[in-house]
Amino acid sequence: EQSFTYTTKHIVSREHKKEAKSSGDLGTNVGDLKEMAGKSRKWMILVATIWIQAFTGTNFDFSTYSSDLKSVLGISQVQLNYLAVASDLGKVFGWSSGLALLYFPLWTVLFAAAIMGFVGYGIQWLVITNVISLPYIRVFLCCLLAGLSICWFNTVCFVLCIRNFPANRSLALSLTASFNGVSAALYTLAYNTINPISTQLYLLLNALIPLIVSFAALIPILRQPPLEPLPPDGVRRDSLMFLLLNILAVLNGVYLLLFGSKTSDVTSARLLFGGSILLLILPLCLPGLVYARNWYLHNVHSSFRLEGSGFILLLNDDVVRTAITPNQKSFIEDDNGSCCSKLITRNQLGMLGEEHPLYLLLCRSDFWLYYVAYFCGGTIGLVYSNNLGQIAQSLGQSSETTTLVTLYSSFSFFGRLLSATPDYIRAKFYFARTGWLTVALLPTTIALFLLASSGSLSALQAGPALIGLSSGFILAAAVSITSELSGPNSVGVNHNILITNIPIGSLVYGFLAALVYESHSMAGSKTESVICMGRDCYFLTFVWWGCLSVIGLASSVVLFLRTRRAYQRFEQDRITSSMLYS
């Protein structure tokens, strides 16, 4: 009996333990499922951000319909340039989107941007199709409103990346911003699908598609997961996921580059457009990959050694406060005798991520060197893209306009993707991001002097490719550089101050190009809308732009020399920290 009692108690005790273990496992599984669901929502938000960026770079197709707009309004080349400036002038008011986010939820800011674009581009479409007639100043205001909508869309995407990918935010920003560069190629495919004759259709598509995409992105945005810190292995797994996404992005860019301007027939165009949409939907498989990663990451991840982004939008805790070593100090003191050394070492940046309020920012030499490099580099590329229609027309290649726009758009996309390269190769080859900025400016200088020296079709096609690659890299890397040089908490204000160079450059460079264009226009023209034919229409413009790009290149070199020590200290500190926590 005692034996039976003992055995019974033992069995009951063992059963209780099994039940407890089973309930514990069940609780763990439920927790894992919740965690996985939250992580899948994070990737859904990233895909939604990609969609928004891919269809809201509507300023890139301005050159496709600018000649028709100029003809309908009966305006001069200078006045047409002012309309392009109006679109860029929206960046001056980009701060308004940040102000709106302080008082309204994110989804309302998204739809406010969509409505602004719908009204701005929609009215322009009514004007260019002669449905209504408006004075020039009202068309100017419509361009301004359309440009402002792009800034608001960009702010929404910027905030989504920052909130949901704090540990890999630079990777998220470069990836999503890259898709803004393929907008012109996507709109060209959509245009060929519907009516490859009337260029006015671009304006209608610019008005409608961003609004439709905003509705498609609404559900992921409303279901944002709570922010939770990632462990080191989670950061590495996210980096691997970004690598897969970048591979998909490259496939997307190659596809659009090869087929983005094909106009054989409507049926083929529809198939090609369907293929581009499929490539944009393909990243939706990521949530499934997140759920399945526990089964395959042990094998896949072991063959990769990817870590979190080394060039991050720094948090206050990440600020590098490494003191100057005695050897470095003596080196600096020895070099103080020369003017070049004084230029490089005077008020030199001591650490990355140090906060700079507006008044301090404007007193920093590094900021103005950066401003000039951007002004004489990336901004020239944007103005060049606005003039592609007139450049092709002046050389008798009007039929090549959509091809040129697609080339610029596609290579701008690749340039934006390449801005993430430092994050992936820093373990093998480390180079300060300001150094990469200098490298990125070189193609613009080469392309402008190439265009000045030759009016051939091959040079005409090489120009958009090189300049698009250069300006795309600069535009995508700009937010990270601003954060590193002036602090992450002030990046919203400081970056908006930086990009004021875009409307200023658009006005100055565009006005210069318009004056040269009209000075070589056909003599005896009775109409106000003049047309210029021949290489002389843009020869002096390319020469001046090329010389200015050399100034930007020199400015970026000085900026690199002034900041490389801070970047080296940051990298040394990162390596030391990874060794301590590994």
Side-chain angles (χ1 to χ4, degrees):
E1 183 179 354
Q2 289 178 352
S3 177
F4 175 77
T5 303
Y6 171 78
T7 305
T8 304
K9 288 180 179 179
H10 180 70
I11 293 172
V12 171
S13 175
R14 188 169 57 189
E15 291 299 323
H16 278 302
K17 289 180 180 179
K18 287 182 178 179
E19 290 177 6
K21 185 176 184 298
S22 177
S23 62
D25 291 342
L26 181 61
T28 302
N29 290 335
V30 172
D32 289 343
L33 287 174
K34 289 181 179 179
E35 180 186 359
M36 290 297 179
K39 288 183 169 68
S40 68
R41 291 204 301 270
K42 178 177 72 173
W43 294 106
M44 289 286 290
I45 289 170
L46 186 72
V47 174
T49 306
I50 287 173
W51 291 349
I52 294 171
Q53 288 280 29
F55 289 102
T56 57
T58 47
N59 55 328
F60 288 111
D61 60 21
F62 175 80
S63 57
T64 57
Y65 59 83
S66 58
S67 296
D68 286 343
L69 190 62
K70 176 183 175 183
S71 177
V72 169
L73 295 176
I75 57 178
S76 66
Q77 185 68 21
V78 173
Q79 289 174 305
L80 181 66
N81 171 66
Y82 290 150
L83 294 183
V85 171
S87 180
D88 293 329
L89 199 61
K91 294 178 176 62
V92 174
F93 304 101
W95 54 267
S96 59
S97 57
L99 185 64
L101 284 171
L102 295 176
Y103 300 99
F104 301 101
L106 195 65
W107 67 269
T108 59
V109 177
L110 174 68
F111 277 97
I115 291 170
M116 284 190 287
F118 179 77
V119 173
Y121 286 116
I123 293 177
Q124 289 182 71
W125 176 73
L126 293 175
V127 170
I128 202 172
T129 54
N130 293 310
V131 175
I132 62 173
S133 178
L134 290 178
Y136 175 79
I137 185 62
R138 293 186 182 178
V139 177
F140 179 91
L141 292 175
C142 287
C143 292
L144 179 64
L145 187 64
L148 184 60
S149 73
I150 298 171
C151 285
W152 280 48
F153 276 123
N154 289 339
T155 300
V156 169
C157 295
F158 176 80
V159 171
L160 286 172
C161 291
I162 294 297
R163 286 183 182 176
N164 293 281
F165 297 93
N168 282 301
R169 60 185 72 181
S170 64
L171 292 178
L173 286 168
S174 62
L175 175 68
T176 55
S178 67
F179 279 88
N180 195 249
V182 299
S183 292
L186 287 171
Y187 277 95
T188 298
L189 279 176
Y191 160 77
N192 291 334
T193 298
I194 301 172
N195 184 9
I197 299 174
S198 174
T199 57
Q200 297 95 327
L201 182 62
Y202 277 99
L203 284 166
L204 182 61
L205 294 174
N206 288 353
L208 293 177
I209 292 181
L211 184 61
I212 296 170
V213 172
S214 297
F215 278 105
L218 180 60
I219 294 177
I221 290 175
L222 290 176
R223 300 184 69 247
Q224 291 188 66
L227 179 61
E228 295 179 357
L230 282 177
D233 61 327
V235 174
R236 287 192 291 269
R237 284 196 296 266
D238 278 6
S239 297
L240 177 61
M241 201 68 74
F242 276 111
L243 179 61
L244 296 175
L245 272 171
N246 275 276
I247 293 172
L248 287 177
V250 170
L251 292 176
N252 208 319
V254 171
Y255 180 88
L256 291 172
L257 177 63
L258 294 176
F259 306 113
S261 58
K262 298 294 183 182
T263 57
S264 53
D265 58 81
V266 174
T267 303
S268 299
R270 287 174 181 172
L271 290 174
L272 293 173
F273 183 64
S276 66
I277 297 300
L278 179 63
L279 286 173
L280 286 175
I281 294 175
L282 197 57
L284 281 175
C285 67
L286 275 175
L289 292 175
V290 172
Y291 280 118
R293 70 183 183 182
N294 284 339
W295 285 272
Y296 73 85
L297 274 181
H298 291 294
N299 296 322
V300 177
H301 184 63
S302 60
S303 61
F304 290 88
R305 182 62 178 172
L306 293 175
E307 300 179 2
S309 168
F311 296 100
I312 58 175
L313 298 180
L314 294 169
L315 301 174
N316 286 338
D317 295 338
D318 299 325
V319 172
V320 182
R321 302 184 181 275
T322 306
I324 298 177
T325 64
N327 291 335
Q328 291 170 336
K329 184 176 180 181
S330 63
F331 178 82
I332 293 172
E333 289 174 350
D334 291 340
D335 284 352
N336 276 344
S338 66
C339 294
C340 292
S341 297
K342 288 180 179 179
L343 175 65
I344 293 170
T345 59
R346 185 179 179 182
N347 295 325
Q348 196 172 12
L349 185 69
M351 57 187 177
L352 297 185
E354 184 179 10
E355 292 298 332
H356 287 68
L358 181 59
Y359 70 89
L360 182 59
L361 178 77
L362 298 178
C363 296
R364 293 285 304 184
S365 301
D366 295 329
F367 170 76
W368 291 110
L369 288 169
Y370 184 27
Y371 194 94
V372 171
Y374 200 123
F375 180 76
C376 297
T379 300
I380 289 180
L382 293 176
V383 179
Y384 169 78
S385 70
N386 289 337
N387 284 268
L388 272 176
Q390 279 67 47
I391 292 171
Q393 184 185 55
S394 67
L395 296 174
Q397 301 287 349
S398 296
S399 60
E400 296 292 322
T401 300
T402 55
T403 301
L404 297 177
V405 172
T406 299
L407 276 171
Y408 179 88
S409 175
S410 299
F411 277 89
S412 174
F413 169 77
F414 289 124
R416 291 166 190 249
L417 276 183
L418 284 173
S419 68
T421 301
D423 300 318
Y424 285 109
I425 69 171
R426 76 178 190 278
K428 300 290 185 181
F429 176 75
Y430 173 74
F431 200 45
R433 196 182 292 273
T434 48
W436 286 105
L437 175 67
T438 301
V439 175
L441 285 167
L442 277 171
T444 293
T445 303
I446 294 171
L448 289 171
F449 286 117
L450 174 65
L451 289 166
S453 63
S454 174
S456 64
L457 180 60
S458 58
L460 185 63
Q461 292 175 340
L466 290 171
I467 296 175
L469 189 71
S470 176
S471 59
F473 188 104
I474 295 167
L475 291 172
V479 178
S480 296
I481 296 176
T482 303
S483 172
E484 290 161 358
L485 298 184
S486 62
N489 295 336
S490 308
V491 70
V493 175
N494 293 348
H495 189 67
N496 278 320
I497 296 298
L498 172 70
I499 62 175
T500 56
N501 79 85
I502 294 178
I504 296 173
S506 182
L507 176 62
V508 174
Y509 299 144
F511 185 73
L512 172 66
L515 287 180
V516 174
Y517 181 93
E518 293 196 341
S519 67
H520 293 90
S521 61
M522 290 185 296
S525 177
K526 301 293 184 181
T527 63
E528 189 179 7
S529 179
V530 296
I531 297 176
C532 180
M533 299 297 293
R535 281 190 59 200
D536 290 340
C537 300
Y538 280 93
F539 172 74
L540 284 178
T541 299
F542 290 144
V543 171
W544 278 107
W545 285 357
C547 293
L548 288 168
S549 70
V550 171
I551 295 175
L553 188 63
S555 180
S556 69
V557 170
V558 177
L559 177 65
F560 165 64
L561 294 175
R562 285 178 56 85
T563 58
R564 60 177 176 174
R565 292 180 185 275
Y567 277 96
Q568 287 170 353
R569 292 169 196 156
F570 172 69
E571 179 65 8
Q572 290 168 0
D573 186 78
R574 186 196 65 81
I575 294 172
T576 303
S577 299
S578 63
M579 291 175 64
L580 289 174
Y581 291 101
S582 61

